[in-house]
Amino acid sequence: MTQARFDELIHPSTRLTLVATLAAVDWAEFAFLKDRIQLSDSALSKQLTTLEEAGYVATERRLSGSRHKRYAHLTDAGRQAFDGHIGALRAILADAASPAEGPQV
């Protein structure tokens, strides 16, 4: 079981959406991610590079017909970071939903 841990690297909405998308698939093609997340080529490339440098994502180029296409997938470290981050967000929501004890300000 992954320990709940808020992850500042994953938390920005663009990266969180990207990691969540990759968590749902084995591999995703760059164009699919670009369309899904609504990012420019350069913005998506930057986000993938940031996550790759952290060890959360791995990318590779594959020959498809006569063109090379870039694919990405979540590494085991990325999966653990994502699961931990989701656990931390769930804990925050659970705390917000439970009545506070003590004096109310």
Side-chain angles (χ1 to χ4, degrees):
M1 182 176 195
T2 302
Q3 179 180 353
R5 185 181 74 81
F6 193 86
D7 192 304
E8 294 285 346
L9 184 70
I10 291 175
H11 189 69
S13 63
T14 299
R15 281 192 218 126
L16 184 56
T17 303
L18 178 55
V19 171
T21 301
L22 291 172
V25 298
D26 288 330
W27 286 89
E29 201 264 321
F30 188 90
F32 169 80
L33 294 170
K34 179 182 158 187
D35 290 343
R36 171 100 173 153
I37 302 168
Q38 299 291 301
L39 291 176
S40 67
D41 287 356
S42 62
L44 177 56
S45 185
K46 180 180 176 183
Q47 297 305 326
L48 285 171
T49 298
T50 297
L51 292 166
E52 195 166 22
E53 288 172 351
Y56 290 177
V57 168
T59 63
E60 65 181 44
R61 294 197 181 275
R62 299 180 188 170
L63 189 60
S64 177
S66 62
R67 298 185 61 202
H68 278 93
K69 293 185 178 182
R70 187 174 179 192
Y71 288 81
H73 83 101
L74 209 53
T75 63
D76 290 340
R79 169 72 63 186
Q80 287 181 342
F82 177 67
D83 290 346
H85 189 71
I86 295 302
L89 292 175
R90 286 185 176 138
I92 291 168
L93 293 172
D95 287 347
S98 65
E101 295 183 22
Q104 300 286 323
V105 177

